[in-house]
Amino acid sequence: MAECCSASGYEDLFNAKEAEKSLRSYEKDGLDETGRALVEYMTSRGLKDRTILEAGGGIGALQVELIKSGAASVVNVELSGEYEAVATALLAKQGIADRVERRIGDFTEVAAELEADDVVLHRVICCYPFMERLMIAAMSASSRLVAASFPRDRLVVKTRVALENAWHKIRSAEFRAYVHDPDAIVATARSQGFGVVFWDRNFSWNAAVFERV
Ligand SMILES: C[S@@+](CC[C@H](N)C(=O)[O-])C[C@H]1O[C@@H](n2cnc3c(N)ncnc32)[C@H](O)[C@@H]1O
């Protein structure tokens, strides 16, 4: 990881306090709108007995919903180790700890050893500088779907991300957020033999599902 993305750079932002905040939000309101859209689409395609691989799954809220919707198991690869206490408690509370394996590391570095029916990148592409590397890793590990959410390429969103990055710079934080070009994301998927089968969007986010054709 010499050229990018130290775990400590991620753990500075995606820390235990952030994990507690995500848990409160999930327990109060359930999944965010984009996460719900991805789970609903994946469920409509049939999750029973499917294996799932998630990159950057945070506290594991999506993992809970996918298992509840019929998925057999999930492997999560997360750069920040700071979510683990909250995630472990959440999965135990839901009675599904034995169906979720959580690993710490850069997904792009381990994806070649992993395979699953469906791969999920929910709000992760925006947190990694190398969109193509992430997408290609996800697609190489997936035998069926890759479900992803990423920011919309709009001035208002780009301005917000630029302000957030300015704040990270002021406090000398290593982390930066990215609005990767959605057309380039689709082009990368196509280059790997995947087509778009679902697209949804709200004010700030795109939710897209790609399928191996
Ligand atoms: C905005 S958070 C989203 C967490 C969760 N998916 C959610 O929506 O609540 C982005 C997460 O992606 C993780 N991440 C970014 N790039 C990653 C990579 N290459 N491999 C594994 N995790 C990554 C970060 O550590 C962070 O926890």
Side-chain angles (χ1 to χ4, degrees), residues 10 14 56-57 77-80 83 105-107 122-124 127-128:
Y10 281 79
F14 302 112
V77 184
E78 167 57 62
L79 255 171
S80 168
Y83 293 107
D106 184 330
F107 178 76
H122 179 39
R123 300 193 293 200
V124 173
C127 297
Y128 196 69

Side-chain angles (χ1 to χ4, degrees), residues 10-72:
Y10 281 79
E11 285 171 349
D12 170 55
L13 185 69
F14 302 112
N15 54 30
K17 202 170 148 200
E18 190 58 33
E20 293 288 352
K21 196 171 140 200
S22 294
L23 179 66
R24 280 196 300 278
S25 162
Y26 176 55
E27 291 192 327
K28 180 168 170 280
D29 300 322
L31 285 182
D32 62 285
E33 196 183 339
T34 322
R36 253 193 335 264
L38 293 178
V39 171
E40 275 170 20
Y41 180 76
M42 292 172 76
T43 305
S44 78
R45 293 296 309 273
L47 278 173
K48 190 162 169 9
D49 299 333
R50 295 279 172 180
T51 56
I52 311 287
L53 177 58
E54 182 169 19
I59 63 164
L62 218 83
Q63 295 152 29
V64 171
E65 298 298 325
L66 291 170
I67 296 269
K68 277 193 200 162
S69 300

